[in-house]
Structures are given as C-alpha cells and as structure tokens.
C-alpha cells in the first residue's frame, strides 16, 4: 500500500460523500467484482476432505461447456433457444455455507461462458433488485433477455416481496432462453440438514424449480481454514496515524458513517467506495438497530468485492452484531458480514506492520 507523499491530500471521509449513479452504470456494472476478475475453475482449490467441492467444479465446467455446444457460429444465432444438442437444465443453484467458494465458482462460470461481456450478467440479489427498482420491471426484462447467462450471487429469502419480484424476473428470462445460475447460504446451524436452502429457494421461485439443478457444496469457511484468528482492533491513535500515511484512504468515526449510510441508497454503496484503497474506522460499536445492521452488511459486501482493507478501533468484528441479531431472521447476512469484515481486517494488518 502506498504511503502519502509530501503535499498529498489526506484521507477522505465516506460520511461526506454523496455519489450519483447513472442507470446505465447499474447495467454495465453487472460483472464479477474486482476480487473475482482473475478467478477461473482452474484456480479454485477444493478441500480434499470435501468431495462435493470437486464434484461441483466438474458439474459447472460441464454446464459452461453446454452453453458453447449449442452455439451457432453466426453471431445472430448465438442465443438461439434450441441448441443442436440436448439442452442441460436451464439453471444451476449452488447450495452451501459460508466461505466454501460459491462466488468463486459462480464468477468462474461467468468467465467461462462463451459470450461477449455485455451478453452475460453477474450481480448479487440486492444489485438485481436495485436494477429492477431503477429501470422498472419491463425495462429490466428487456435489458437482460438477450443475455446468454445471468448469475445471481447470494440469493436472499429475507424479503418475500423482493424474492417474488426477482423470481418473476428470472421466469421471464428463462422463458426467453437465458440460462441462470445462483448461489445462497445455508442457514447457520443447519448445514447438516441436507438441502434446506435449496428447498426454500425452489419453493420461493415457484414455477422455476424444474429449471434448476441443485449442487450442494460442503466445507468450512476458507477465510478461516488454517488461518490465525482475526486481529484485534487498534487504538484510535493507531487508526488515525495509519490512515494519514496511506494514499487513497478514508477515515471516519463509526457513528458518523452509519448515520450517513441511512441517507445513501444501497445501490450507490459501490460508488461510495470509488477510489478508496483502504477504510479506517474509529470507535466501532455493537449495532443493535436492524436497519443500520443491514446497511452495514451491504457496505461490507461492496468493500469485500473490491478487496478494500478495513482497519478499526473499538468493538471487534466478532461482536459487531448482538447475540439477538445473530439468532434472528437475518443471521445469514450478519454471519457473512462478520466473515468478510474479518478477512478485510486481516488484510489491513499489512498497512502498518509495526502496529
């Protein structure tokens, strides 16, 4: 990480930024995030003790090949609905816990799909609902129905309205011949109950279940597999000093940032982080408000996507959400956020080795 040189501007405050995002950017940004730019099936390292991971790579490689097998060499016929060979199921669903590499595999599928980047889309469930909100349902269908593949990462079951909305969108796209792929997290404490998440997903998307092949991916969170415990928070003085000498850093008090997030639509959180090389937060405290917690989850996802290290003082990330929240209906979101923020805090240790 570069340090500030003489005359360099100091850190910015995310809590003062008010990004504006063009609708066209919402569509153009539906590609794998920077963290997954270089991933491929060959770079996925299966856990030798989890044969389902190796099996998933094989099945997804075959799925990607099936997209190529039916392609007419004439560009006008690339997206024909009736390939020469018998079609594979129209979609795949990756069911598994946190940190087993589902997003890596989903992004690898996107990269392996034989289509121009403007004819394949990759986004989280939240990003897809934001797209529908910005464009309207019919325009969203029109924007995506010519795609060869649409990938939805972290399909959510928390909001019935959004779930039905996206399910309807996927139904329209599937009818138009678009192939689909999705991931979701199995609820904590239920990893041994088979395909709990897959069953819920398929029930919620109603008539789409027959179009999906469910792939179970077992394993432990790779972010903690064989790694040390997450670093403990630093002091306010250490956070401030490191931010001041880190080029492209942001520096905020935690309370000011969480209050500001309430004034920015979550679809703009990616733009909020534009140009930021590292995030520094002073005085992190435990969150007890659900709305605040959910906004922070979205920000954590955008920071993780962009591989932005996070250095903090105050409450450690494993106590960021209350026990009540971690036992509630949004617990899968909170566990994912803790896992990702912990990884980013570990990344931040290289910013100042002397601390």
């Amino acid at each position: 990480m570069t340090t500030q040189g003489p005359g360099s501007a100091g850190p910015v405050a995310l809590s003062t930024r008010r990004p504006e995002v063009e609708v066209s950017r919402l569509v153009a940004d539906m590609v794998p995030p920077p963290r997954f730019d270089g991933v491929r099936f060959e770079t996925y390292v299966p856990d030798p003790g989890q044969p389902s991971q190796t099996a998933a790579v094989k099945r997804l490689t075959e799925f990607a090949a099936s997209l190529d097998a039916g392609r007419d060499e004439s560009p006008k016929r690339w997206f024909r609905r009736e390939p020469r060979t018998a079609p594979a199921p129209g979609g795949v669903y990756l069911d598994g816990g946190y940190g087993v590499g589902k997003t890596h595999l989903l992004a690898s599928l996107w990269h392996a799909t034989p289509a121009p980047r403007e004819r394949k889309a990759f986004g989280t469930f939240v990003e897809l609902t934001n797209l529908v909100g910005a464009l309207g349902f019919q325009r969203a269908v029109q924007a995506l129905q010519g795609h060869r593949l649409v990938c939805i990462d972290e399909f959510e079951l928390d909001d019935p309205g959004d779930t039905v909305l996206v399910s309807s969108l996927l139904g329209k796209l599937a009818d138009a011949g678009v192939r689909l792929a999705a991931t979701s997290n199995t609820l904590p404490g239920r990893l041994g109950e088979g395909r709990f998440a897959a069953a819920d997903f398929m029930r919620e998307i109603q008539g789409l279940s027959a179009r999906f092949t469910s792939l179970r991916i077992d394993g432990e969170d790779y972010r903690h597999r064989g790694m040390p415990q997450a670093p403990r928070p630093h002091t306010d003085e250490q956070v401030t000093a490191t931010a001041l000498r880190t080029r492209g850093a942001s520096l905020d008090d935690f309370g000011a940032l969480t209050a500001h997030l309430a004034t920015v639509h979550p679809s703009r959180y990616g733009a909020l982080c534009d140009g930021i090389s590292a995030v520094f937060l002073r005085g992190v405290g435990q969150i007890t408000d659900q709305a605040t917690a959910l906004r922070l989850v979205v920000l954590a996802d955008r920071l993780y996507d962009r591989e932005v290290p996070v250095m903090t003082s105050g409450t450690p990330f494993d106590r960021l959400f209350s026990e009540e929240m971690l036992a509630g209906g949004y617990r899968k979101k909170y566990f994912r956020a803790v896992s990702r923020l912990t990884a980013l805090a570990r990344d931040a240790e290289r910013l100042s080795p002397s601390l």
Side-chain angles (χ1 to χ4, degrees):
M1 188 66 60
T2 355
T3 57
Q4 302 279 8
S8 299
V12 302
L14 295 180
S15 55
T16 64
R17 286 186 159 191
R18 297 192 177 277
E20 296 294 331
V21 180
E22 296 288 335
V23 169
S24 58
R25 174 174 171 175
L26 294 178
V27 179
D29 280 357
M30 292 195 72
V31 297
R35 178 177 287 271
F36 298 99
D37 272 346
V39 302
R40 299 293 186 273
F41 290 130
E42 295 79 11
T43 63
Y44 181 79
V45 182
D47 185 338
Q50 303 291 345
S52 63
Q53 295 184 11
T54 301
V57 174
K58 181 176 184 296
R59 293 288 297 278
L60 288 171
T61 302
E62 293 170 351
F63 183 77
S66 77
L67 299 179
D68 193 34
R71 183 179 67 176
D72 191 306
E73 290 306 314
S74 168
K76 293 182 179 179
R77 305 299 296 165
W78 277 4
F79 308 108
R80 61 190 298 171
R81 298 186 193 178
E82 296 180 4
R84 297 191 189 105
T85 56
V92 289
Y93 167 65
L94 308 183
D95 169 33
Y98 307 97
V100 296
K102 299 188 302 299
T103 302
H104 182 134
L105 292 174
L106 190 67
S108 297
L109 176 62
W110 186 92
H111 286 298
T113 296
R117 62 187 290 120
E118 64 270 16
R119 293 300 182 186
K120 49 188 178 180
F122 183 106
T124 65
F125 179 89
V126 171
E127 289 170 325
L128 196 59
T129 58
N130 289 336
L131 180 69
V132 176
L135 296 180
F137 184 82
Q138 292 301 330
R139 287 182 63 198
V141 172
Q142 292 169 7
L144 298 173
Q145 66 183 358
H147 283 49
R148 178 175 287 276
L149 175 72
V150 170
C151 297
I152 309 100
D153 198 22
E154 298 160 5
F155 198 99
E156 306 284 1
L157 299 175
D158 304 310
D159 187 317
D162 283 347
T163 301
V164 172
L165 176 69
V166 173
S167 298
S168 299
L169 175 64
L170 297 186
K172 293 287 187 181
L173 297 180
D175 289 342
V178 180
R179 306 293 282 277
L180 307 171
T183 73
S184 187
N185 290 322
T186 304
L187 295 177
R190 298 192 174 184
L191 294 177
E193 294 183 11
R195 299 185 176 187
F196 177 87
D200 270 16
F201 173 83
M202 291 177 179
R203 185 184 68 246
E204 293 296 337
I205 61 176
Q206 303 166 356
L208 282 179
S209 61
R211 303 180 190 267
F212 281 82
T213 295
S214 178
L215 302 180
R216 174 72 185 180
I217 305 177
D218 298 300
E220 62 181 285
D221 190 335
Y222 80 91
R223 286 178 286 266
H224 307 297
R225 194 190 302 164
M227 293 183 178
Q229 292 295 315
R232 308 316 295 171
H234 302 287
T235 66
D236 286 353
E237 292 74 20
Q238 289 172 328
V239 169
T240 301
T242 308
L244 289 172
R245 60 174 176 262
T246 302
R247 188 181 302 277
S250 68
L251 175 63
D252 292 88
D253 290 318
F254 185 69
L257 178 60
T258 55
H260 181 63
L261 292 179
T263 70
V264 179
H265 191 275
S267 66
R268 300 177 181 179
Y269 286 7
L272 186 72
C273 303
D274 282 353
I276 299 299
S277 66
V279 167
F280 295 84
L281 296 174
R282 293 178 298 216
V284 172
Q286 188 173 82
I287 299 172
T288 57
D289 174 69
Q290 198 89 267
T292 301
L294 292 173
R295 287 190 288 267
L296 191 63
V297 167
V298 177
L299 180 63
D301 286 341
R302 300 293 79 80
L303 293 173
Y304 183 78
D305 288 345
R306 289 161 173 76
E307 299 182 290
V308 179
V310 179
M311 179 177 285
T312 65
S313 64
T315 301
F317 285 136
D318 56 8
R319 297 208 302 270
L320 183 60
F321 304 108
S322 68
E323 290 296 327
E324 182 180 2
M325 285 185 166
L326 293 178
Y330 293 107
R331 59 191 179 274
K332 65 177 182 178
K333 291 176 179 283
Y334 301 145
F335 276 102
R336 183 181 76 230
V338 168
S339 176
R340 290 184 165 186
L341 288 171
T342 295
L344 296 179
R346 197 177 285 130
D347 291 343
E349 290 300 279
R350 72 176 186 273
L351 298 178
S352 186
S354 63
L355 293 182

